[in-house]
């Protein structure tokens, strides 16, 4: 059993490695976390994501600039590659196909990648269209893939406007489609206004909301 102080030491080390954009240290501490029995999702949220949050605060205070943020996210991804295969979730009983992407005009994909990770860890098949995805592409791919759910992500107040259009286009082309939206500038009220079927504030809630939306029998 991992003692609290050791667990905190490891989480701090992962967080610091992200903030200090030290990819090697990040990988090394993520491996240590697994070796010492720390839960991979906890290491992701309280280590990697917390590190990215701290980096963003430095950005807000103009201590860090765009290049630092990019290398911080590289360190975070390197750690995620180590932890991802070990992330378990209690919601793994609901499985389906998810078509996912960041809407056009928006290149922020760290959150979307975390969402993808959680869905994959839950046994979903994820078709990731990436970032800055043209709205027509969501429709085209949904027609081909017939996913149980389409997930749209946006990180800017400016780009989230495209979600409303995307939901409308998807519903017009494939009336039975279910759409889940998320991203920092959204909230449940905006999600309803955009006509989406569901909203989630983080990656874990997204999987739970998805299970509720598709109401699939346990597999
Ligand atoms: Co930019 N950026 N950025 N940025 N960036 C923000 C978003 C901003 C708030 C910073 C600020 O001004 N304070 C601001 C947006 C302002 C607004 O709303 N209008 C902003 C801006 C303006 C910009 C540029 C325009 C800057 C410029 O060039 N002048 C530019 C964007 C260009 C474009 O997109 N066309 C830009 C660029 C960048 C970088 C490339 C440097 C980098 C992105 C790297 C990358 O993603 N690969 C970056 C970053 C890192 C940020 C901040 C600092 C951090 C975002 C992040 O990754 N958070 C951000 C400020 C901030 O948030 N403090 C900022 C961590 C991530 C884990 O959280 O993405 O929220 P998040 O995801 C969460 C939830 O939101 C949720 O679950 C995730 C995990 O729990 N979620 C979903 C997300 N998607 C979901 C989907 C779901 C469900 C849940 O269902 C489908």
């Amino acid at each position: 059993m991992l003692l609290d102080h050791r667990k905190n030491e490891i989480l701090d080390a992962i967080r610091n490695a992200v903030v200090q954009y030290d990819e090697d240290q990040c990988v090394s501490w993520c491996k240590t976390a697994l070796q010492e029995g720390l839960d991979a999702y906890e290491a992701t949220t309280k280590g990697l994501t917390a590190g990215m949050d701290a980096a963003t605060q430095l950005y807000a205070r103009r201590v860090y600039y765009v290049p630092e943020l990019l290398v911080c996210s590289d360190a975070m991804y390197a750690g995620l590659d180590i932890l991802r295969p070990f992330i378990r979730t209690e919601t793994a009983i609901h499985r389906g196909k998810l078509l996912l992407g960041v809407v056009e005009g928006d290149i922020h994909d760290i959150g979307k990648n975390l969402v993808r990770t959680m869905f994959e860890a839950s046994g979903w098949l994820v078709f990731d269209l990436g970032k800055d995805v043209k709205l027509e592409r969501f429709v085209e791919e949904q027609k081909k893939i017939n996913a149980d759910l389409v997930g749209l992500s946006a990180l800017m107040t400016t780009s989230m406007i495209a979600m409303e259009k995307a939901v409308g286009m998807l519903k017009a082309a494939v009336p039975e489609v279910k759409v889940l939206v998320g991203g920092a500038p959204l909230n449940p009220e905006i999600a309803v206004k955009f006509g989406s079927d569901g909203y989630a504030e983080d990656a874990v809630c997204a999987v739970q909301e998805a299970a509720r939306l598709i109401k699939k029998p346990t597999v």
Side-chain angles (χ1 to χ4, degrees):
M1 173 101 176
L2 195 58
L3 295 172
D4 273 356
H5 79 269
R6 177 60 179 159
K7 182 167 136 181
N8 291 335
E9 189 182 4
I10 295 171
L11 291 173
D12 278 348
I14 295 175
R15 200 161 40 230
N16 289 337
V18 172
V19 176
Q20 289 157 13
Y21 40 88
D22 190 333
E23 221 173 291
D24 292 343
Q25 280 296 311
C26 192
V27 165
S28 165
W29 279 105
C30 286
K31 286 181 178 166
T32 302
L34 294 175
Q35 280 156 8
E36 299 196 18
L38 213 156
D39 177 72
Y41 186 68
E42 195 173 356
T44 303
T45 54
K46 295 185 181 165
L48 295 175
T49 308
M52 202 60 217
D53 282 349
T56 63
Q57 283 163 27
L58 291 172
Y59 175 76
R61 286 169 28 217
R62 296 173 188 266
V63 177
Y64 274 8
Y65 293 91
V66 170
E68 284 88 353
L69 279 183
L70 284 177
V71 281
C72 287
S73 65
D74 285 348
M76 178 176 138
Y77 280 134
L80 203 53
D81 283 345
I82 303 298
L83 297 175
R84 194 192 333 249
F86 299 92
I87 294 178
R88 287 178 287 110
T89 162
E90 303 313 316
T91 51
I93 50 170
H94 296 280
R95 297 177 190 177
K97 276 195 278 184
L98 173 73
L99 179 66
L100 179 66
V102 179
V103 295
E104 67 185 22
D106 199 328
I107 61 166
H108 297 91
D109 63 356
I110 296 170
K112 181 269 295 170
N113 290 337
L114 274 179
V115 169
R116 174 186 174 157
T117 298
M118 284 312 297
F119 272 88
E120 287 180 337
S122 310
W124 282 66
L125 190 56
V126 180
F127 297 83
D128 187 350
L129 300 181
K131 58 195 173 188
D132 192 13
V133 180
K134 292 267 166 272
L135 304 188
E136 298 74 20
R137 179 116 192 273
F138 284 106
V139 177
E140 284 160 21
E141 296 296 328
Q142 176 58 10
K143 282 183 179 166
K144 279 189 232 157
I145 293 165
N146 189 25
D148 299 288
L149 190 64
V150 179
L152 306 175
S153 176
L155 251 290
M156 297 189 292
T157 47
T158 44
S159 62
M160 74 173 183
I161 308 297
M163 281 177 161
E164 185 169 16
K165 201 171 162 200
V167 174
M169 286 165 68
L170 279 160
K171 298 265 177 196
V174 189
E176 67 281 7
V177 72
K178 298 267 190 227
V179 185
L180 172 71
V181 296
L186 282 105
N187 61 40
E189 291 73 34
I190 295 176
V192 169
K193 182 180 169 291
F194 285 178
S196 72
D197 300 282
Y199 161 77
E201 71 168 352
D202 64 32
V204 174
C205 295
V207 177
Q208 292 162 350
E209 179 72 341
R212 185 187 71 78
L213 287 174
I214 70 167
K215 295 191 186 78
K216 267 202 160 180
T218 306
V219 284

